[in-house]
Amino acid sequence: MAVRLAEIEMRSEELQRAIRNALGESEYARHRAESDLAHAYKFAIEIFAKALLPFKDTLEAALKIDTSDANALKAGLALSLKQLDNAFQRNGLLEICPHPGERFDAERHRSVSVGSRIGERERIASTERKGYELNGRVIRPAAVMLRREK
């Protein structure tokens, strides 16, 4: 009987050790996951920020140029805008710019028409402000004026 009791106590100690080890490992894994998440959150926009640096460099260089040539300034602004658009596209930020005649989509568009009831016959008359989506998720709907189709 004493031998059996000793075996049970030894097995109990082994199980308790295993439980303590498992708890320690799970605590370490939880701590590591929290640390990884904090790091990912802190540096989540690093790639996007790096993509914007050439745009900022171009704007700073443009401000150093002393010119009164409006066409040169306009060309420089167009180049800067193209760099910004490229940075947006490379990082999954896309424009929502509906054309006149397209159907109104409540997920992607916001009506700025006063007193208009939106139905299936509503079409876009004009886009007042572009919207944007990030990796397929709308972060700002396009502001549109609507017209009723007969």
Side-chain angles (χ1 to χ4, degrees), residues 48-60:
F48 185 60
K50 285 180 179 179
L52 291 179
L53 293 178
F55 171 69
K56 185 176 187 305
D57 294 341
T58 301
L59 289 179
E60 288 174 343

Side-chain angles (χ1 to χ4, degrees), residues 40-57 81-95 132-135 139:
Y41 181 75
K42 185 175 181 179
F43 296 102
I45 66 164
E46 179 179 6
I47 293 169
F48 185 60
K50 285 180 179 179
L52 291 179
L53 293 178
F55 171 69
K56 185 176 187 305
D57 294 341
L81 183 58
K82 183 176 171 126
Q83 284 182 319
L84 184 61
D85 285 340
N86 288 338
F88 282 0
Q89 287 177 1
R90 281 194 313 269
N91 288 278
L93 184 61
L94 303 176
E95 288 182 354
Y132 292 89
E133 66 179 49
L134 179 60
N135 297 319
I139 60 172

Side-chain angles (χ1 to χ4, degrees), residues 50-117:
K50 285 180 179 179
L52 291 179
L53 293 178
F55 171 69
K56 185 176 187 305
D57 294 341
T58 301
L59 289 179
E60 288 174 343
L63 287 174
K64 291 178 184 176
I65 297 172
D66 186 23
T67 183
S68 59
D69 183 2
N71 288 333
L73 290 173
K74 191 172 182 177
L77 284 174
L79 178 62
S80 296
L81 183 58
K82 183 176 171 126
Q83 284 182 319
L84 184 61
D85 285 340
N86 288 338
F88 282 0
Q89 287 177 1
R90 281 194 313 269
N91 288 278
L93 184 61
L94 303 176
E95 288 182 354
I96 301 171
C97 188
H99 299 291
E102 286 185 28
R103 280 191 194 269
F104 178 80
D105 178 353
E107 297 289 320
R108 300 169 49 84
H109 310 138
R110 183 178 55 84
S111 172
V112 293
S113 302
V114 179
S116 146
R117 284 185 23 193

Side-chain angles (χ1 to χ4, degrees), residues 26-41:
S26 69
E27 182 64 23
Y28 174 77
R30 186 187 65 75
H31 175 70
R32 180 65 189 205
E34 286 175 354
S35 174
D36 289 348
L37 183 62
H39 186 267
Y41 181 75

